[in-house]
Amino acid sequence: MSDYLPISGYGVIGDLHTAALVGRQGSIDWWCPPRYDAPSVFGAILDARRGGRWSVAPETPCTSEQRYLPGTNILETNFHLDQGGLLSVADFMPLGAEREGKSAIFRRIRGVRGLVPVAVRLEPRFSYGREPARFQVRHAGLLATSTNREVLAFSASPGIVWQIEDGAAVARFGLRPEDTVWLVLRHDEDEVLSIDALRPQAIMDDTAHSWDNWLTKLRYQGPYRQEVERSALALKLLQYNPTGAMVAAPTTSLPEWPGGVRNWDYRYTWVRDSSYLLFALNALGFESEAESYLSFLKRLCRQSDARHLQILHQIDGYHQLAEQELTHLEGYGGARPVRIGNGAYDQFQLDIYGELLDTLFQGHRYRVPSEGLWVAIRGLVDWVAANWRLPDFGIWEARREPRHHVFSKIMAWCALDRGIRLALRNRLPGEVNAWRRAAAALREEVLDRGWNPPKQSFVQAYDDDDLDAALLVIPLIGFLPRSDPRVRSTLNAIRQELSAGPEELIYRYRSPDGLAGEEGAFLVCSFWMVQNLALVGQRDEAARLYRLLLRRGGPLGLFPEEIDPRTGDFLGNYPLGLSHAALLNCAVTLQRLRAADVPVNQSPVPEVRTGVSKA
């Protein structure tokens, strides 16, 4: 692991088409232009020797720290030299019109104190590290190409001298206070423009203004404003602007356990995610992002002609995501295999109908669905009414035989309930009586076969005794009121059996799932527990645990999928959108409950939601 920076040591920058991870040591170790799920150009986070990187750092011993410029996704890394010097590197990717239709990374290197010797090493490795770059030195910088004609144009401030060494372009120079060097890397450009022609400082100012202006829409006024701002900005970074889809995370194969095999590609969009991300964005005032995502989901709904809805898609809506292993890469810290694609795409997961219908219900709270959309919605509800008895693979995408997962059944009930409510509220045609009968039968079956009397808890699957943190959803969607004693006893059972450490980080389950190895505690479930505690009246305890969770966000306030409760190490893909959505939903829940001072036995539940993720 000595060659690999801790996952918490990375910041993320992006342009709403793709994203890059920038380590606190000044190295960009992950970048997949021109879109999130493209092959990497920099992939050192998955193979320190073969993956490729772009590093900027002092050539003398130093320590470093990172921060975001306030209200932006512009990342600043400050290097404090042991001898007293200080160097600042600012990294960003232009947005909107400033992109000029192509992804680019801008790096501003500035001397702050003392004379600082700086080394720059540009080492692109195309096609997930398979192809080193071929360099051509130009007047204003370099051209880097691959054998399949992928091109990078690299521009630098005047006076920088480049040497080509072992497949990398290297430059060394010294900076005094106020000296500034700009480096710009543009994807799919074959002209190396001068720095003056690229106007880097003006584009940096425009990019900062764009992020700051976007953040002015934030409506949250509670006590966790700083954390909410950062999580909102992190969520925005994960949206693919051309379609409105949001990737689960911008990375692949960051392991759920050190050296383990639970390494998955999250650079796609899951139908399940939509409900939780949509609620988080809407609750904070970002309606345009929610509308864009909702439009994407509507298209998927209309286009589906399969026997069941596909659970995930590429960010352009394409449905093929065949899973492959990249055997030439050693994986983060030796965690193999490295995977691209995701083999879970063709699993049947009954619960996604509930998430999708709830998303559409939330999105049409104050307006009537169009005729075409209602035809699609009605078809989904009819399908659930006819097929809710089928076993499925479940929310966690276990790679074993289908089962009757209790969470899946509860979310199928949610699909029926939301369809009924949409039809009645808007006087729309549909088989409402048949839907009611199915919802009643489904609820009765769950209360009978999903409840374990000795455990005094709902359990993972019918006639089982394993717990599952997904069952914390029960009061959040209104399947049972939060005053129901079964809600409280299930919460207590999960807290006792699935929590770890002083922060009570929550594991999603402890039962076998058909995969080898261990995994960390699930952050989404940990935030989920906070919401449940607040809802049953333990608001001080919920606030205490929430503050402890916020401290787990690392120096930049970014969250992964999982955390090792014993070491605090980040695990899984990073940053994970649903972790940030869950953080935001917790903040909104705590704020609304405090403002309303709602009694615990009041029903229905205030409008609160949570987030879940996949294997």
Side-chain angles (χ1 to χ4, degrees):
M1 285 291 292
S2 60
D3 291 336
Y4 292 88
L5 192 67
I7 294 171
S8 60
Y10 285 96
V12 61
I13 59 174
D15 61 1
L16 311 185
H17 289 70
T18 186
L21 295 189
V22 186
R24 67 186 178 212
Q25 87 285 36
S27 180
I28 297 178
D29 290 348
W30 183 251
W31 186 41
C32 301
R35 56 184 243 180
Y36 300 100
D37 55 356
S40 64
V41 167
F42 301 130
I45 198 168
L46 295 179
D47 194 308
R49 292 178 296 117
R50 291 181 287 262
R53 57 165 49 93
W54 178 13
S55 64
V56 174
E59 283 197 294
T60 188
C62 63
T63 58
S64 62
E65 60 186 7
Q66 290 182 314
R67 71 180 187 104
Y68 283 103
L69 300 188
T72 79
N73 278 312
I74 298 175
L75 184 67
E76 184 178 72
T77 307
N78 291 316
F79 297 90
H80 300 268
L81 278 64
D82 291 357
Q83 297 177 345
L86 178 60
L87 181 75
S88 173
V89 179
D91 294 303
F92 69 95
M93 297 174 69
L95 302 175
E98 297 293 358
R99 291 181 71 253
E100 298 181 343
K102 303 288 178 66
S103 288
I105 298 177
F106 284 60
R107 311 195 77 175
R108 187 189 68 187
I109 313 169
R110 186 172 62 187
V112 179
R113 185 174 61 243
L115 174 62
V116 181
V118 180
V120 177
R121 183 179 180 88
L122 178 69
E123 188 179 2
R125 298 295 295 264
F126 298 99
S127 187
Y128 295 112
R130 295 185 183 98
E131 294 188 42
R134 297 177 296 181
F135 290 99
Q136 302 173 34
V137 178
R138 300 292 176 86
H139 176 72
L142 302 162
L143 203 65
T145 60
S146 72
T147 55
N148 65 358
R149 300 181 182 178
E150 193 169 0
V151 180
L152 298 171
F154 183 62
S155 301
S157 293
I160 306 299
V161 178
W162 298 96
Q163 303 292 329
I164 309 303
E165 304 174 358
D166 300 325
V170 179
R172 295 176 173 86
F173 49 86
L175 290 182
R176 299 182 182 276
E178 304 305 321
D179 287 349
T180 298
V181 167
W182 281 97
L183 304 174
V184 179
L185 189 63
R186 298 178 298 141
H187 179 258
D188 197 26
E189 293 285 354
D190 57 9
E191 287 294 332
V192 181
L193 301 179
S194 70
I195 286 295
D196 287 344
L198 291 170
R199 304 181 303 110
Q201 186 60 56
I203 290 180
M204 182 176 179
D205 294 341
D206 289 345
T207 300
H209 175 74
S210 294
W211 285 119
D212 185 66
N213 186 60
W214 178 81
L215 201 57
T216 61
K217 295 184 289 184
L218 178 65
R219 286 199 297 249
Y220 177 82
Q221 297 298 329
Y224 307 106
R225 175 79 185 195
Q226 182 176 346
E227 293 84 357
V228 166
E229 285 188 0
R230 180 48 49 201
S231 283
L233 286 162
L235 274 189
K236 180 62 176 174
L237 269 181
L238 301 181
Q239 188 162 39
Y240 181 58
N241 199 55
T243 65
M246 297 186 75
V247 293
T251 57
T252 179
S253 300
L254 295 184
E256 295 177 14
W257 194 256
V261 299
R262 297 170 181 256
N263 316 320
W264 314 106
D265 194 347
Y266 276 17
R267 299 171 299 158
Y268 310 111
T269 184
W270 269 254
V271 170
R272 179 181 297 113
D273 298 12
S274 61
S275 177
Y276 312 113
L277 297 174
L278 176 58
F279 177 82
L281 291 170
N282 258 330
L284 296 172
F286 301 110
E287 287 90 355
S288 62
E289 283 73 21
E291 283 298 317
S292 180
Y293 200 6
L294 188 59
S295 296
F296 176 76
L297 291 172
K298 289 175 184 176
R299 291 194 298 273
L300 295 185
C301 181
R302 291 191 183 105
Q303 293 167 4
S304 178
D305 58 359
R307 61 186 177 88
H308 59 77
L309 280 178
Q310 185 166 311
I311 66 170
L312 71 146
H313 295 76
Q314 292 185 9
I315 50 179
D316 57 4
Y318 190 63
H319 62 277
Q320 285 291 335
L321 292 101
E323 192 169 285
Q324 305 173 48
E325 294 184 4
L326 302 182
T327 58
H328 65 286
L329 296 177
E330 73 172 3
Y332 175 82
R336 287 178 169 170
V338 172
R339 294 182 173 97
I340 58 173
N342 197 301
Y345 79 95
D346 60 354
Q347 285 189 355
F348 167 53
Q349 295 177 16
L350 179 62
D351 67 282
I352 69 168
Y353 290 86
E355 281 98 2
L356 179 54
L357 264 295
D358 197 33
T359 297
L360 297 172
F361 176 77
Q362 298 288 344
H364 290 82
R365 181 170 294 276
Y366 303 113
R367 66 185 190 279
V368 179
S370 67
E371 181 181 10
L373 179 59
W374 178 246
V375 169
I377 291 174
R378 190 173 63 191
L380 294 175
V381 183
D382 284 338
W383 195 95
V384 174
N387 293 279
W388 64 265
R389 291 178 176 83
L390 295 174
D392 76 335
F393 287 91
I395 177 179
W396 307 125
E397 298 176 0
R399 301 203 173 186
R400 62 180 184 184
E401 72 284 351
R403 305 170 73 197
H404 291 285
H405 292 95
V406 175
F407 174 83
S408 297
K409 304 298 186 184
I410 289 171
M411 293 309 299
W413 172 89
C414 181
L416 294 165
D417 176 77
R418 299 322 189 246
I420 293 166
R421 293 166 68 180
L422 275 170
L424 295 178
R425 185 171 67 193
N426 298 295
R427 299 182 179 180
L428 296 168
E431 301 296 326
V432 173
N433 289 333
W435 300 346
R436 281 175 168 158
R437 289 193 295 271
L442 199 164
R443 188 174 186 275
E444 182 179 358
E445 182 176 284
V446 168
L447 295 178
D448 178 29
R449 298 184 64 188
W451 174 257
N452 185 298
K455 289 262 187 179
Q456 284 295 290
S457 175
F458 289 97
V459 287
Q460 186 174 65
Y462 283 175
D463 310 318
D464 196 1
D465 59 2
D466 291 320
L467 297 184
D468 189 334
L471 299 169
L472 292 168
V473 76
I474 289 171
L476 300 177
I477 64 165
F479 183 79
L480 289 176
R482 58 197 174 118
S483 58
D484 192 295
R486 289 167 293 188
V487 168
R488 192 181 293 268
S489 62
T490 297
L491 184 158
N492 290 336
I494 290 172
R495 197 176 183 188
Q496 290 171 11
E497 292 194 22
L498 299 183
S499 69
E503 295 97 336
E504 297 192 33
L505 294 169
I506 304 296
Y507 288 89
R508 51 184 180 170
Y509 54 80
R510 297 283 197 178
S511 54
D513 60 6
L515 294 167
E518 299 181 66
E519 65 178 23
F522 236 65
L523 277 169
V524 169
C525 297
S526 303
F527 285 116
W528 210 347
M529 175 62 74
V530 169
Q531 283 185 284
N532 272 254
L533 289 170
L535 287 172
V536 301
Q538 299 182 44
R539 295 177 198 164
D540 290 341
E541 177 68 354
R544 181 186 74 85
L545 290 178
Y546 188 55
R547 289 191 294 269
L548 290 174
L549 279 172
L550 293 179
R551 295 175 189 172
R552 289 290 198 171
L556 293 172
L558 299 176
F559 286 82
E561 181 179 22
E562 302 177 15
I563 285 179
D564 184 344
R566 295 169 291 185
T567 65
D569 290 345
F570 282 14
L571 299 168
N573 285 305
Y574 170 85
L576 189 78
L578 283 174
S579 293
H580 286 279
L583 181 156
L584 294 171
N585 289 335
C586 272
V588 171
T589 297
L590 294 171
Q591 179 192 27
R592 289 181 175 178
L593 288 174
R594 180 171 284 104
D597 197 25
V598 180
V600 175
N601 62 356
Q602 180 171 321
S603 185
V605 179
E607 190 179 24
V608 293
R609 292 294 301 282
T610 185
V612 291
S613 188
K614 71 292 294 173

